[in-house]
Amino acid sequence: MLGALGRRATCNAAASLADSSAAFFKSPRPAIVTSARKPTSRPILPRVFAMSTSEAADWLEKDERRMLHVVYRVGDMDATIDYYQKCFGMKLLRSRDIPEEKYTNAFLGYGPETTNFAVELTYNYGKDSYDLGEGFGHFGITSPDVYKTCEAIKAAGGTVTREAGPVKGGNTVIAFAKDPTGYPFEIIQRADSTEPLCQVMLRVGDLEKSMNFYTEALGMKGLRIRDNPEYKYTLGFVGYGPEESNTVVELTYNYGKEKYEKGDGYGQIAISTKDVYKTADQIKAAGGTITREPGPVPGIGTKIVACTDPDGWKIVFVDEADFLKELA
């Protein structure tokens, strides 16, 4: 059912978060302006991403969007698939080879793509290594027992780069592992989760601006903000539903850091939409930048439209009906 693919998105965060976010960013001690940052002479600019037309706002309200998968490039497809199955317990959902475009895709995850988030691995013919840059953070996976998961990863031949233990400045038990290409995976202790592939973490230079974009241009909900002044960073979480049952984007602002090198490994997040053409117009009306006009993907035929967030991270909207045809 199409309804199962999407969860209704609104152009604004929930009222409670909106109130707390406003207070956070207007506070005399906002997390993104602290004594650790040097004051600048930049003028205060008006909000760029406010909705400019009622038609755009109406479409954002009607379009039922869901995060589908995250795309990134790997140097050895077979080794990566084997690693994810043995170390992370993922399932290979499907694969495809596009010889005319010289690449192969494999989709892995913990449930069917009609309801669950997936990773889309891309192998480009003849390319066996990638620069991951400094802007991409990690992918998140939940586990009811992070200590046991770490032991299982090591027993399967995987690499644990940070042993299980409480997160800095908090109580949640986490660990980190690394895949064959070098992508970090954070293992997060969570007793009950219907979506084990729980987050994609990206570093941003202006947290408020980024959260405005993800909520107002992409239609996500602002879920929570967590500041950690002791370690000089602030986290903002956005998504199309609560973290317990949905994959979310974790936006990380490190005090005083405004730009990041992206490398060439991480690709983009894919989101479903009922009409890529209307979504393109809506994003433009919201002040977003379209980097690929709507139309079919060569060799596949699925219609997409691409845009970038304020830091240049790419987001691709995928026609929902075409996506279902891919899965048939």
Side-chain angles (χ1 to χ4, degrees), residues 160-177:
V160 172
T161 57
R162 194 267 201 196
E163 293 291 342
V167 66
K168 289 182 179 179
N171 298 316
T172 303
V173 175
I174 67 165
F176 275 90

PDB file of all heavy atoms in Angstrom, residues 160-177:
ATOM      1  N   VAL A 160      36.222  -3.310  15.542  1.00  0.00           N
ATOM      2  CA  VAL A 160      35.608  -2.403  16.511  1.00  0.00           C
ATOM      3  C   VAL A 160      36.627  -1.317  16.818  1.00  0.00           C
ATOM      4  O   VAL A 160      37.732  -1.602  17.284  1.00  0.00           O
ATOM      5  CB  VAL A 160      35.196  -3.144  17.799  1.00  0.00           C
ATOM      6  CG1 VAL A 160      34.732  -2.152  18.863  1.00  0.00           C
ATOM      7  CG2 VAL A 160      34.104  -4.156  17.501  1.00  0.00           C
ATOM      8  N   THR A 161      36.270  -0.070  16.542  1.00  0.00           N
ATOM      9  CA  THR A 161      37.205   1.044  16.727  1.00  0.00           C
ATOM     10  C   THR A 161      36.997   1.787  18.038  1.00  0.00           C
ATOM     11  O   THR A 161      37.863   2.548  18.462  1.00  0.00           O
ATOM     12  CB  THR A 161      37.073   2.043  15.566  1.00  0.00           C
ATOM     13  OG1 THR A 161      35.718   2.507  15.486  1.00  0.00           O
ATOM     14  CG2 THR A 161      37.469   1.394  14.251  1.00  0.00           C
ATOM     15  N   ARG A 162      35.854   1.549  18.681  1.00  0.00           N
ATOM     16  CA  ARG A 162      35.583   2.140  19.989  1.00  0.00           C
ATOM     17  C   ARG A 162      34.771   1.121  20.766  1.00  0.00           C
ATOM     18  O   ARG A 162      33.671   0.768  20.388  1.00  0.00           O
ATOM     19  CB  ARG A 162      34.820   3.452  19.812  1.00  0.00           C
ATOM     20  CG  ARG A 162      34.743   4.352  21.052  1.00  0.00           C
ATOM     21  CD  ARG A 162      33.488   4.098  21.868  1.00  0.00           C
ATOM     22  NE  ARG A 162      33.137   5.222  22.737  1.00  0.00           N
ATOM     23  CZ  ARG A 162      32.295   5.155  23.753  1.00  0.00           C
ATOM     24  NH1 ARG A 162      31.696   3.990  24.058  1.00  0.00           N
ATOM     25  NH2 ARG A 162      32.014   6.213  24.476  1.00  0.00           N
ATOM     26  N   GLU A 163      35.350   0.626  21.869  1.00  0.00           N
ATOM     27  CA  GLU A 163      34.676  -0.421  22.631  1.00  0.00           C
ATOM     28  C   GLU A 163      33.404   0.121  23.286  1.00  0.00           C
ATOM     29  O   GLU A 163      33.234   1.332  23.461  1.00  0.00           O
ATOM     30  CB  GLU A 163      35.611  -0.972  23.701  1.00  0.00           C
ATOM     31  CG  GLU A 163      36.811  -1.735  23.154  1.00  0.00           C
ATOM     32  CD  GLU A 163      36.429  -3.060  22.506  1.00  0.00           C
ATOM     33  OE1 GLU A 163      35.312  -3.554  22.758  1.00  0.00           O
ATOM     34  OE2 GLU A 163      37.262  -3.603  21.751  1.00  0.00           O
ATOM     35  N   ALA A 164      32.516  -0.783  23.632  1.00  0.00           N
ATOM     36  CA  ALA A 164      31.239  -0.411  24.228  1.00  0.00           C
ATOM     37  C   ALA A 164      31.429   0.322  25.549  1.00  0.00           C
ATOM     38  O   ALA A 164      32.282  -0.036  26.364  1.00  0.00           O
ATOM     39  CB  ALA A 164      30.388  -1.659  24.441  1.00  0.00           C
ATOM     40  N   GLY A 165      30.631   1.352  25.746  1.00  0.00           N
ATOM     41  CA  GLY A 165      30.666   2.129  26.980  1.00  0.00           C
ATOM     42  C   GLY A 165      29.808   3.365  26.836  1.00  0.00           C
ATOM     43  O   GLY A 165      29.329   3.679  25.744  1.00  0.00           O
ATOM     44  N   PRO A 166      29.572   4.094  27.929  1.00  0.00           N
ATOM     45  CA  PRO A 166      28.718   5.288  27.879  1.00  0.00           C
ATOM     46  C   PRO A 166      29.280   6.356  26.950  1.00  0.00           C
ATOM     47  O   PRO A 166      30.500   6.530  26.848  1.00  0.00           O
ATOM     48  CB  PRO A 166      28.704   5.773  29.334  1.00  0.00           C
ATOM     49  CG  PRO A 166      29.091   4.585  30.143  1.00  0.00           C
ATOM     50  CD  PRO A 166      30.041   3.806  29.298  1.00  0.00           C
ATOM     51  N   VAL A 167      28.386   7.058  26.266  1.00  0.00           N
ATOM     52  CA  VAL A 167      28.792   8.146  25.382  1.00  0.00           C
ATOM     53  C   VAL A 167      29.337   9.293  26.214  1.00  0.00           C
ATOM     54  O   VAL A 167      28.938   9.480  27.365  1.00  0.00           O
ATOM     55  CB  VAL A 167      27.585   8.619  24.524  1.00  0.00           C
ATOM     56  CG1 VAL A 167      26.511   9.247  25.400  1.00  0.00           C
ATOM     57  CG2 VAL A 167      28.024   9.594  23.448  1.00  0.00           C
ATOM     58  N   LYS A 168      30.263  10.072  25.661  1.00  0.00           N
ATOM     59  CA  LYS A 168      30.802  11.221  26.374  1.00  0.00           C
ATOM     60  C   LYS A 168      29.681  12.203  26.702  1.00  0.00           C
ATOM     61  O   LYS A 168      28.908  12.593  25.832  1.00  0.00           O
ATOM     62  CB  LYS A 168      31.860  11.929  25.519  1.00  0.00           C
ATOM     63  CG  LYS A 168      33.153  11.159  25.353  1.00  0.00           C
ATOM     64  CD  LYS A 168      34.149  11.950  24.531  1.00  0.00           C
ATOM     65  CE  LYS A 168      35.462  11.190  24.375  1.00  0.00           C
ATOM     66  NZ  LYS A 168      36.436  11.969  23.550  1.00  0.00           N
ATOM     67  N   GLY A 169      29.589  12.575  27.940  1.00  0.00           N
ATOM     68  CA  GLY A 169      28.583  13.539  28.355  1.00  0.00           C
ATOM     69  C   GLY A 169      27.192  12.960  28.521  1.00  0.00           C
ATOM     70  O   GLY A 169      26.220  13.702  28.678  1.00  0.00           O
ATOM     71  N   GLY A 170      27.056  11.623  28.479  1.00  0.00           N
ATOM     72  CA  GLY A 170      25.737  11.014  28.617  1.00  0.00           C
ATOM     73  C   GLY A 170      25.811   9.619  29.201  1.00  0.00           C
ATOM     74  O   GLY A 170      26.873   9.161  29.641  1.00  0.00           O
ATOM     75  N   ASN A 171      24.687   8.921  29.176  1.00  0.00           N
ATOM     76  CA  ASN A 171      24.610   7.585  29.766  1.00  0.00           C
ATOM     77  C   ASN A 171      24.376   6.475  28.748  1.00  0.00           C
ATOM     78  O   ASN A 171      24.550   5.297  29.062  1.00  0.00           O
ATOM     79  CB  ASN A 171      23.480   7.544  30.807  1.00  0.00           C
ATOM     80  CG  ASN A 171      23.720   8.508  31.955  1.00  0.00           C
ATOM     81  OD1 ASN A 171      24.832   8.599  32.469  1.00  0.00           O
ATOM     82  ND2 ASN A 171      22.673   9.245  32.342  1.00  0.00           N
ATOM     83  N   THR A 172      23.978   6.837  27.534  1.00  0.00           N
ATOM     84  CA  THR A 172      23.685   5.825  26.523  1.00  0.00           C
ATOM     85  C   THR A 172      24.946   5.041  26.180  1.00  0.00           C
ATOM     86  O   THR A 172      26.006   5.623  25.913  1.00  0.00           O
ATOM     87  CB  THR A 172      23.121   6.475  25.248  1.00  0.00           C
ATOM     88  OG1 THR A 172      21.949   7.222  25.580  1.00  0.00           O
ATOM     89  CG2 THR A 172      22.768   5.418  24.216  1.00  0.00           C
ATOM     90  N   VAL A 173      24.832   3.718  26.153  1.00  0.00           N
ATOM     91  CA  VAL A 173      25.966   2.867  25.800  1.00  0.00           C
ATOM     92  C   VAL A 173      26.087   2.804  24.279  1.00  0.00           C
ATOM     93  O   VAL A 173      25.113   2.530  23.578  1.00  0.00           O
ATOM     94  CB  VAL A 173      25.800   1.449  26.374  1.00  0.00           C
ATOM     95  CG1 VAL A 173      26.929   0.536  25.898  1.00  0.00           C
ATOM     96  CG2 VAL A 173      25.758   1.500  27.890  1.00  0.00           C
ATOM     97  N   ILE A 174      27.288   3.075  23.798  1.00  0.00           N
ATOM     98  CA  ILE A 174      27.547   3.045  22.359  1.00  0.00           C
ATOM     99  C   ILE A 174      28.878   2.340  22.099  1.00  0.00           C
ATOM    100  O   ILE A 174      29.661   2.085  23.009  1.00  0.00           O
ATOM    101  CB  ILE A 174      27.593   4.455  21.739  1.00  0.00           C
ATOM    102  CG1 ILE A 174      28.824   5.220  22.266  1.00  0.00           C
ATOM    103  CG2 ILE A 174      26.313   5.231  22.004  1.00  0.00           C
ATOM    104  CD1 ILE A 174      29.167   6.461  21.466  1.00  0.00           C
ATOM    105  N   ALA A 175      29.116   2.043  20.833  1.00  0.00           N
ATOM    106  CA  ALA A 175      30.410   1.548  20.370  1.00  0.00           C
ATOM    107  C   ALA A 175      30.529   1.971  18.913  1.00  0.00           C
ATOM    108  O   ALA A 175      29.558   2.441  18.309  1.00  0.00           O
ATOM    109  CB  ALA A 175      30.508   0.033  20.507  1.00  0.00           C
ATOM    110  N   PHE A 176      31.715   1.818  18.343  1.00  0.00           N
ATOM    111  CA  PHE A 176      31.906   2.119  16.928  1.00  0.00           C
ATOM    112  C   PHE A 176      32.624   0.965  16.246  1.00  0.00           C
ATOM    113  O   PHE A 176      33.552   0.360  16.806  1.00  0.00           O
ATOM    114  CB  PHE A 176      32.724   3.401  16.736  1.00  0.00           C
ATOM    115  CG  PHE A 176      31.896   4.659  16.771  1.00  0.00           C
ATOM    116  CD1 PHE A 176      31.683   5.321  17.967  1.00  0.00           C
ATOM    117  CD2 PHE A 176      31.337   5.177  15.614  1.00  0.00           C
ATOM    118  CE1 PHE A 176      30.916   6.469  18.016  1.00  0.00           C
ATOM    119  CE2 PHE A 176      30.568   6.331  15.639  1.00  0.00           C
ATOM    120  CZ  PHE A 176      30.357   6.982  16.843  1.00  0.00           C
ATOM    121  N   ALA A 177      32.179   0.661  15.024  1.00  0.00           N
ATOM    122  CA  ALA A 177      32.832  -0.328  14.181  1.00  0.00           C
ATOM    123  C   ALA A 177      33.114   0.319  12.831  1.00  0.00           C
ATOM    124  O   ALA A 177      32.566   1.375  12.507  1.00  0.00           O
ATOM    125  CB  ALA A 177      31.942  -1.554  14.012  1.00  0.00           C
TER     126      ALA A 177
END
